[in-house]
Amino acid sequence: MDETTVTTTEPTVTEPAQPSVSDSGTTTQATPSFDELLNSNKEYQSEFDRRVSQAIGTAQQKWEQSRLDELDEAKKLEKMTQAQRDSYLLQKDREKLEKDKAAFAAEQMKTACGKELLKRGLDPSFAEYLTAGTAEQTNERLNRFEEAFRAAVDSATNDKMRGGKPPKEPETEKADPFMQGFKG
């Protein structure tokens, strides 16, 4: 395997945040920069370094796996005749095209679902959850969702309008001697 070199650049260190004076004459401290925050606490710096190292390691593994897959495919193509190679590449292109068409159709279905939600007076962000494989399935989900949503809103509205328990009789009458004189 070829050795690869990775070059890194040192992060630039910004000047420390200077206090600023507002129009009213009070001094406020600016929010510390990212570099200041890392330099102020070594635990933050070590956690940041750990996460960056982990991300770099993951990316490098994916890159190496991708490179190995490309090499394996190149070896496989070398062993094929020209007709086999052409057929294989055509099949790969068809699979990629079908995958792209399916993704495009799913995105169109999601957009159409969002438009229908807007027409019905509902939030279009629910389209992500209501979109199905076909228009009929999506429409069925929309109808069920709308019924459930409207029922929940009606129930909550009725509960709010119904109010709570009726107010209790004030207990102060029993203890108020003045009021006791009127009762008897």
Side-chain angles (χ1 to χ4, degrees), residues 30-99:
T31 304
S33 71
F34 183 71
D35 291 334
E36 290 171 350
L37 188 62
L38 288 179
N39 290 333
S40 69
N41 188 334
K42 296 302 175 192
E43 289 179 17
Y44 291 164
Q45 180 68 46
S46 64
E47 179 64 18
F48 177 74
D49 290 344
R50 185 187 67 77
R51 289 185 182 195
V52 167
S53 297
Q54 183 180 16
I56 290 171
T58 301
Q60 187 174 11
Q61 286 175 350
K62 286 181 181 179
W63 178 79
E64 287 175 357
Q65 183 61 44
S66 172
R67 188 157 183 254
L68 287 174
D69 291 345
E70 288 174 6
L71 287 173
D72 288 344
E73 183 151 342
K75 287 178 184 176
K76 186 184 339 181
L77 287 172
E78 281 179 8
K79 295 177 183 177
M80 293 181 183
T81 64
Q82 183 64 36
Q84 290 173 327
R85 191 175 312 132
D86 291 342
S87 174
Y88 176 77
L89 293 174
L90 181 64
Q91 181 63 30
K92 273 188 73 174
D93 288 344
R94 283 184 182 159
E95 289 172 0
K96 184 179 183 318
L97 179 64
E98 289 298 318
K99 183 179 172 186

Side-chain angles (χ1 to χ4, degrees), residues 154-175:
D154 288 343
S155 175
T157 303
N158 289 338
D159 287 347
K160 291 287 184 182
M161 292 185 73
R162 192 174 303 130
K165 298 177 184 174
K168 293 181 185 177
E169 289 291 325
E171 295 181 20
T172 57
E173 290 181 11
K174 296 175 186 173

Side-chain angles (χ1 to χ4, degrees), residues 10-28:
E10 289 295 318
T12 58
V13 178
T14 59
E15 294 297 319
Q18 298 295 324
S20 61
V21 178
S22 66
D23 293 338
S24 63
T26 59
T27 303
T28 58

Side-chain angles (χ1 to χ4, degrees), residues 122-180:
L122 299 170
D123 187 356
S125 64
F126 290 115
E128 181 179 343
Y129 308 108
L130 299 174
T131 303
T134 66
E136 293 81 22
Q137 292 171 333
T138 299
N139 196 31
E140 182 181 322
R141 285 182 179 185
L142 275 169
N143 291 335
R144 284 186 292 163
F145 174 75
E146 183 179 21
E147 289 173 15
F149 185 80
R150 302 263 185 238
V153 168
D154 288 343
S155 175
T157 303
N158 289 338
D159 287 347
K160 291 287 184 182
M161 292 185 73
R162 192 174 303 130
K165 298 177 184 174
K168 293 181 185 177
E169 289 291 325
E171 295 181 20
T172 57
E173 290 181 11
K174 296 175 186 173
D176 189 5
F178 181 73
M179 293 303 285
Q180 293 295 327

